Amino acid sequence: MNDTFLRACRGERVEYTPVWLMRQAGRYLPQYQAVRANIDFLTLCKTPQLAAEVTLQPVEILGVDAAILFSDILIPVEAMGMSLEFSEREGPVLGEPVRNKSAVDRLIIPDAEDDMPFVIEAIKILREKLKNKVPLIGFSGAPFTLATYMIEGGSSKNFIHTKKMMFQNNRLFNYLMEKLTLTIISYLSAQIKAGAQAVQIFDTWAGVLTPLDYKTSVLPHVKKVISELKKEGVPLIYFVNDCSGILKEIKKSGADVIGIDWKIDMADAIKQLGKKVVVQGNLDPCALFLPREEIEDRVKDILWKGETANGHIFNLGHGILPETPVENAIALVEAVHKYGSKD
Ligand code: CP3
């Protein structure tokens, strides 16, 4: 079995730096588009055979060292009781935004097996199909990132409703965060029980907060998620987009691996996190539009800096973009394997 990724997560010795790409199953792949031509995105997420099929596409096409379950961070939000749609133009659109106590009261803490059985089923199919070729990563949104979608009702520019609730009714904000925390713990535990060999927690929007607000209103919930999941015994990866202003706080999360976006130099990130940490990242997704030699130069630079940490998993600093040429994604994976070799 290629367990290079799992060993790197644990800070163990590896023969080469493993690599996978956030959003590696997606619209830049013609094979994904072929599946999507006949089915809408949410139905695809809820059809285990097809979700498993698109999960495997980048493993075959790119040769990455890990598979990540094809799903979306908003699946548990729907299971908590909010309606969810994906519009081609606006992205996710949720029902009536959650802005008062009775709305939070109404949210349920779903049982993954009963309320999201398709996720559990997809993981089981994938473990069978992967035959231990590469490990399978499960994932969830982090409490704050999911809270923003619930409070805003969709994507947002300045998160005004979220911050208003945080500042004007912190008790209500905390009540919502607590419900999300319990949901995420139970959802990720169920994914691990079904066969996920590592889990990533996506905190896409936590970087919009001041360090103090992150520390007081968000970090305690992240710590709870991570400390509870530690009992499951699989590596936990915590990714915060725009992490540079809050790395010192993120370090306290307890995660085994910290995901780094591309807006900070890898050497600076490691300096702030300390050398005991395992890092993941941090290539600019747009670097995949550069000529091949320049992609290689950037790969070498990040690999070289990543060596100073206790472990490094190569990744992009955020999700791969739909316009990305597939051959450049393949070239990236090849370059990481070539220049990240420890022999
Ligand atoms: O990494 C993977 O390949 C696994 C699959 C995955 C998707 N979404 C598939 C997806 C993962 C891990 C996610 C996480 C996710 N979803 C995040 C956190 C990570 C991040 O990018 O910051 C967020 C914020 C979402 C919410 C979301 N889902 C948005 C805002 C959108 C619309 C914008 C967009 O990129 O299309 C989605 C849709 C989505 N999620 C697609 C895919 C492949 C595109 C759907 C399509 O086929 O049209």
Side-chain angles (χ1 to χ4, degrees):
M1 162 171 175
N2 173 2
D3 64 348
T4 315
F5 163 77
L6 292 176
R7 281 188 284 129
C9 287
R10 296 192 198 103
E12 294 171 14
R13 223 198 83 81
V14 284
E15 294 74 38
Y16 63 90
T17 303
V19 53
W20 68 278
L21 309 181
M22 287 192 273
R23 295 273 188 112
Q24 63 189 13
R27 284 169 297 188
Y28 72 105
L29 288 176
Q31 293 87 341
Y32 172 81
Q33 283 175 352
V35 175
R36 262 285 271 123
N38 310 313
I39 190 167
D40 67 88
F41 172 63
L42 259 187
T43 313
L44 174 54
C45 290
K46 294 177 184 177
T47 311
Q49 283 292 349
L50 290 178
E53 182 183 329
V54 298
T55 299
L56 295 173
Q57 287 174 348
V59 177
E60 296 298 329
I61 299 162
L62 307 182
V64 284
D65 297 290
I68 180 160
L69 170 72
F70 186 84
S71 185
D72 197 81
I73 59 164
L74 297 174
I75 292 288
V77 169
E78 188 185 41
M80 289 176 85
M82 288 190 85
S83 69
L84 171 65
E85 271 175 52
F86 279 86
S87 112
E88 288 295 330
R89 279 181 53 238
E90 289 170 65
V93 182
L94 293 141
E96 193 61 27
V98 173
R99 295 191 189 153
N100 54 42
K101 181 164 183 295
S102 59
V104 182
D105 280 335
R106 279 196 298 274
L107 297 169
I108 64 152
I109 293 163
D111 177 293
E113 272 96 2
D114 291 342
D115 302 319
M116 297 172 272
F118 46 87
V119 171
I120 304 303
E121 184 60 25
I123 292 174
K124 289 182 178 160
I125 295 172
L126 277 163
R127 283 302 306 276
E128 226 176 277
K129 288 203 170 172
L130 278 164
K131 295 196 175 68
N132 281 337
K133 189 177 173 202
V134 292
L136 177 65
I137 306 171
F139 71 89
S140 170
F144 179 74
T145 290
L146 296 186
T148 68
Y149 283 102
M150 297 177 107
I151 300 166
E152 304 292 335
S155 301
S156 175
K157 229 172 156 179
N158 47 22
F159 301 93
I160 190 156
H161 296 289
T162 309
K163 291 191 181 184
K164 259 168 104 177
M165 189 195 287
M166 202 172 173
F167 295 157
Q168 296 176 350
N169 195 346
N170 196 261
R171 191 184 294 275
L172 179 64
F173 177 79
N174 198 54
Y175 176 35
L176 174 60
M177 290 287 278
E178 276 173 356
K179 272 199 157 172
L180 281 164
T181 297
L182 294 177
T183 295
I184 294 161
I185 293 167
S186 137
Y187 181 48
L188 287 177
S189 303
Q191 289 187 31
I192 296 166
K193 208 164 117 233
Q197 291 153 290
V199 292
Q200 174 152 323
I201 301 159
F202 285 90
D203 223 344
T204 306
W205 302 121
V208 305
L209 295 170
T210 68
L212 183 64
D213 291 317
Y214 176 80
K215 182 181 173 178
T216 50
S217 297
V218 173
L219 182 63
H221 301 282
V222 175
K223 276 169 116 170
K224 177 158 184 203
V225 169
I226 291 173
S227 67
E228 286 294 319
L229 290 170
K230 274 264 153 97
K231 299 170 191 159
E232 306 284 346
V234 307
L236 309 172
I237 310 168
Y238 180 46
F239 167 75
V240 179
N241 184 33
D242 270 327
C243 63
S244 58
I246 52 173
L247 276 175
K248 287 200 179 78
E249 298 305 325
I250 290 172
K251 184 182 173 181
K252 300 177 197 157
S253 67
D256 300 293
V257 182
I258 305 290
I260 310 290
D261 65 82
W262 73 94
K263 286 153 269 178
I264 177 166
D265 190 272
M266 187 53 120
D268 287 344
I270 295 169
K271 210 165 147 194
Q272 290 189 53
L273 288 168
K275 291 180 179 175
K276 284 189 192 146
V277 81
V278 177
V279 289
Q280 176 178 278
N282 78 331
L283 187 73
D284 180 352
C286 284
L288 291 175
F289 300 108
L290 286 164
R292 189 170 176 148
E293 310 74 60
E294 288 180 53
I295 295 176
E296 290 193 353
D297 284 345
R298 291 188 185 220
V299 165
K300 285 187 219 167
D301 182 59
I302 293 169
L303 283 170
W304 189 68
K305 288 168 178 164
E307 288 235 325
T308 54
N310 192 27
H312 176 211
I313 295 138
F314 202 98
N315 206 317
L316 302 176
H318 203 175
I320 191 166
L321 296 162
E323 300 82 0
T324 306
V326 179
E327 61 274 19
N328 288 5
I330 296 171
L332 166 66
V333 173
E334 281 173 4
V336 175
H337 286 159
K338 182 172 168 195
Y339 299 111
S341 168
K342 311 277 192 278
D343 299 325

